[in-house]
Every structure is written in C-alpha cells, then in structure tokens.
Amino acid sequence: MTTLPTTTSIRLPKRAGAANQPLAMPSTPMGPMGMPVAQPLLTPADVWRVIRGNFWIIVATCIVAGMIGFGLYWWQSQTNPKFEAVGWVEVLRQTRVDPRTSEMIAMDDGIFDLKIEQRTQTEKLLNEALWTSVIDTNPKVRELEWFAKFKAEEGKQAGAKTAAMLAKEDLENNWSVTPRPESRLIRVSMTAGNPENAKDLVQMIVEAHISGQQKLTADRTSGDLQTAKLWQTRYSREMQNVKDQMSRVQGTLNAGGGTPNAGRANVIEIEIGQLITAAMKSKLDSNTAQAQLAAMEAAVQAGNEPAQVEQMVQMDQTVARIKAMVDELDLQLESYNKQGTNSPFIQELTNRRNAAVAKLKSREAEARATYRNQLLDSMRSMVQSGRAEEEALNALIDTKRTQLGEISTQLSNFFSLKEEFDSYKILIREMDDRVALLENALRQQSAGVRWSNMPITPDQRSSPKLSIYMPVAIMLGLALSLGLAFLKELMDTSVRSPRDLQKVGSMSLLGMIASEDDDPQLAGVPLHLIISQAPHSIMSEQFRQVRTRLQHAVSLDTTRTIVVTS
C-alpha cells in the first residue's frame, strides 16, 4: 500500500479554559510518504504493560526460585559445608648486616615499592612450587583429613592422578591470596570442609614461605658470617705465628725470660767503650815504644849508647866481678906504692890489673852489645805486641759492635713483632665483635614478610551462605520469568498499535483515529457530528488527515486493499 505525503498541516486543538494549553495528538509520527518513523520494538509503556500483564506469574516464579535456592542452600550446608580460615601477612623491607660497616642495610638497593613487594609476595604464595614443597616435605599435611580425602580418591580415576596432584588442584581452587591496598598486609585464606584443616593449611603454607624467605636472606648473611669466621681463623693463625717468632727472639735476647729490653745492649755498649779505651791506650803504648825504638836505633847508629844499656852493663854480674877484681888490684897496688917498694910482685899486680881492665873493657863491650841488642829486641817486641793487642782489641770491638747491631736488629724485630701481635689482637677482637653481630643479626634480620595475624579455627561456614543463595535464586527466577514474558510478547503477531505494523511487513499507515475519551473537546458531541460541531478537535483533524490520504491512495492504480482495524 502506498500513500501520498501529508500536505495538510496538523492543527492541534485548544483545551477549553484560560490556560489554552495545546493538547498532544495521540497519533503515530509520520515520515515521508506516510511511513511511520522507526521506533524501538518495545517502548517503556510496552514493558510496563508486559510486566503488569504477567505480574503474578513473575511473583510466583520468584517465590518458587527462592524456595529452590533455599533447598539448595540446605542441601549444600548438610553435604558440602565449607569453612574459610584467614591469616594476615605483613610485608616488610628485607634487611641484613653490612659486613663492612656492621650496620643494618636494605637488601633492595634502597628502592622499596610497597605495591610491587606486595604483588611479589602474593605471587610467591600462589606459586605451585611452594604448595609442592609443603605437601612433599611436611608430614603433618599428610595427616590432615583434607589430604586423606585425596588419598582415598587416588587411582580411582582413569587419569590415575596422585593424591598430591589432587591436593594441588584443590589448593588452586580454594587457596586465596589478596594484597590489601594502602597497607602492608596480604590476606591469605584457605577454604576446606574441616575448619581445623583450613587453619592448619594456611599456617603451614605461610610458615613454609616465611622460612624460605628467611633462608634466602640468611644465605647472604651466612656468607658474610662464614667470611668473617675465615678471617677470624686466619688472624688467629697469623697472631700465633707472630707470637712464636717473638718467643724465639725473646729467647735469643733474654735467656732468663721476661720482656726483652735495652739492658744487654747497654752492657755491650759499655764493653765496647772500655775496649775502645784499651785499644787507644795500646795504640798509644805501641806508638811510644815505636818512638823509643826509633830514637834508640838512631842513637846507636850515631855511636851513642842508650842509658838503659849502660845501666844494664853496670848491673851485669860479670862486669861487676871484674870491676871488683880491678878495684882490689888497684887497692893492692896503691898499698904497695905507698910503701915505695918496687918489686916484681908489683909488676905482676900491675900486669894482672891491666889484664883485668882489658877483660873488663872486653866484657863491657860484649855486655853492651848484648844488652843493646836485647833492649832493641825488647823494644821491637813491645811495639809488635802493642800492635797485636791493638788489632785484637779492634777485632773484639768489631765483634761487639756486630753483636750490638744484631741485638739492636733483634730488638727492633721484637718490637715490630709486638706491634704486629697487638694489631692482630685488635683485629681478632673486632672480628669477634663482627661475628657476634652477624650471628645476632642472623636471628634478628628481616626476611621481607612475617605474620601479622595468624589464622584461627573458623566457627562459621563460609559456604553455603543463605545471603548469597536466596538473592541469586530470586534474581534467576526473576530473570527467567521476565525473559519468558517478553519472549511471549515478541512472539505475539497481533496488531494493537502502529508499532505492531513493523512486525507484519512493509505496510503504510494512512492514519489513526484516537478514542473519543482522549479528546476533552468532544464531550457531549455525537460521533457522526464531530467535524461540524468540533472542527478543531484532535479527532476531527485525524479524520481529515485519513480522508486526504485515503483519497490519494484510492487514486493510485496499485491500491487494492485497505485495512481498517480497531
């Protein structure tokens, strides 16, 4: 069916009264060629009409759904109750002791992002490797009723999963780790059918994680501790070596024991002084003897006898005896000469005296030569012995000086060793303090995570919850009932409004006459007289519109059928 475009302007009727407000025409908006403007399939009015028409069905469906939800809740609470144990873990900054400064330092290089650390600890707590470690290494886990259930199911399925694999699958479904924003806390929870098992699992897994974190941190501090102990042992060994060297030097310097001092060196210095004095005296005596020897030799060469030789000649016994003989002969001759006698006896005495004098001179010359040679030899021997003594004293002085140098070197070495020994004592004391500090830090260091609140045995079920089952069941019932109601409405092909024309095909709407009850200007006007008696009413305008479009449609050759419905 085709129609011509609307050419007559629609005049809205005036409401009687002082307000003169226009009355809206309850007709479908028309587009070009009289086609209705596209509108949604269901308007709010249609929605309300559908709800209102199916209200009791919707209510009944919601009630039934609520009853079903309550029944499911009761059945689940009896057959499969769940209890959730909750623990809180606090994220901390990991710290350790700096072995160089002995101060607590952060292990994160000074960069600490709480959100990143929370996420890191969360992922570690959700790591399957942590679960595997707890299940495989903690015998208490296998004693739980929670694990016994998987042990009973082991091998029953075709896949032949082990109890540990089933336990990890259950942890994946019921283990929850959630960081709490704007805080250092992480919420850790486990849901299980046994409340005590739920608490134990949370405690075991978190404590295994904390122990692992502590071990990681302790490994670094333990490395520093082992290094400190190695240095401690090395310093002790070096100090003992220095002590042994000190003992050897001390035994050399001071056989009587005690701490070596400069006393022996002072004694040697005094001895060296005395030896130097003796050497100088010996040298002086040697030089004096040499000078005397030279003077004596010079005098002998000049023909002069030394006085010592003359004294020695005079003291010679043979010379003295001969002198005594000469003196006796002189006395006899003098006695005989006084008598005035001249006899052969006097001549004999004279001859005897002359022979004695000659013998005396000969003996004196012989003794003089002998004593002169003895004196010269004695002087030469004195000079040689003086020089030998001087050389011996100088050699002894050199020996003493060598000993003094060795003692000084040993003393210097001893005090150097003593300083080194004292330094090692200080180093060992510092290393002892560092070892004690590291051992204490190993117990007090922060592993980055710790318990804030340990889990307790839950006394209330976490699942099922009536507050969840009932609203969900009612919402599902409501959705089902509304879905069926609107599905029924969409499947209904009855034409009740211009919008229904879009459901039946490409038909053009020529016009629509509203109910007279909707037009207050038609009050008391017969229906067949409304155009003449109420020409400005909505219904009159609609009649004129239908008339115009109908005349145009009848004039078209394609128009065969016109539908009039109410």
Side-chain angles (χ1 to χ4, degrees), residues 135-167:
I135 293 173
D136 294 342
T137 61
N138 194 338
K140 294 183 179 179
V141 174
R142 299 179 179 270
E143 298 174 0
L144 299 178
E145 179 184 340
W146 170 80
F147 189 81
K149 176 181 63 176
F150 305 121
K151 194 69 175 176
E153 295 178 3
E154 186 177 14
K156 291 183 178 181
Q157 300 179 0
K161 292 184 177 180
T162 63
M165 295 172 63
L166 295 173

Side-chain angles (χ1 to χ4, degrees), residues 17 48 71 119 284:
W48 173 244
R119 287 196 295 269
L284 180 61

Side-chain angles (χ1 to χ4, degrees), residues 181-206:
E182 305 300 329
S183 72
R184 294 179 178 269
L185 300 178
I186 298 177
R187 183 181 185 272
V188 183
S189 65
M190 177 62 190
T191 303
N194 187 312
E196 192 69 29
N197 288 176
K199 182 204 74 170
D200 292 341
L201 284 170
V202 172
Q203 187 168 345
M204 291 177 188
I205 294 176
V206 172

Side-chain angles (χ1 to χ4, degrees), residues 484-494 503:
L484 292 175
F486 284 103
L487 180 62
K488 176 184 175 184
E489 175 66 20
L490 293 175
M491 295 179 65
D492 188 2
T493 59
S494 300
K503 304 177 183 179

Side-chain angles (χ1 to χ4, degrees), residues 62-122:
C62 290
I63 293 175
V64 172
M67 295 175 64
I68 294 174
F70 181 81
L72 289 173
Y73 160 75
W74 181 85
W75 177 69
Q76 285 288 329
S77 64
Q78 297 300 317
T79 59
N80 190 26
K82 295 292 184 180
F83 296 87
E84 184 182 30
V86 179
W88 293 92
V89 175
E90 184 178 0
V91 175
L92 301 173
R93 195 169 192 172
Q94 293 186 1
T95 57
R96 66 184 183 94
V97 174
D98 187 352
R100 296 170 298 180
T101 61
S102 300
E103 296 178 354
M104 298 297 290
I105 61 172
M107 295 179 62
D108 46 27
D109 299 327
I111 302 174
F112 180 75
D113 191 319
L114 179 59
K115 293 182 179 179
I116 294 178
E117 190 63 24
Q118 275 185 317
R119 287 196 295 269
T120 301
Q121 297 296 337
T122 299

Side-chain angles (χ1 to χ4, degrees), residues 272 275-277 279 392-402:
I272 290 174
L275 290 173
I276 291 174
T277 301
L393 290 173
N394 289 332
L396 186 59
I397 290 172
D398 292 338
T399 302
K400 293 293 183 180
R401 284 177 175 173
T402 301

Side-chain angles (χ1 to χ4, degrees), residues 403-435:
Q403 292 178 356
L404 181 62
E406 291 177 354
I407 291 174
S408 299
T409 302
Q410 290 177 349
L411 280 173
S412 176
N413 187 26
F414 178 83
F415 288 112
S416 176
L417 290 172
K418 189 174 184 303
E419 290 180 0
E420 188 175 358
F421 180 79
D422 295 337
S423 299
Y424 277 122
K425 288 177 64 177
I426 295 173
L427 289 173
I428 291 175
R429 190 181 306 114
E430 292 177 353
M431 200 56 60
D432 290 341
D433 295 340
R434 181 169 296 178
V435 168

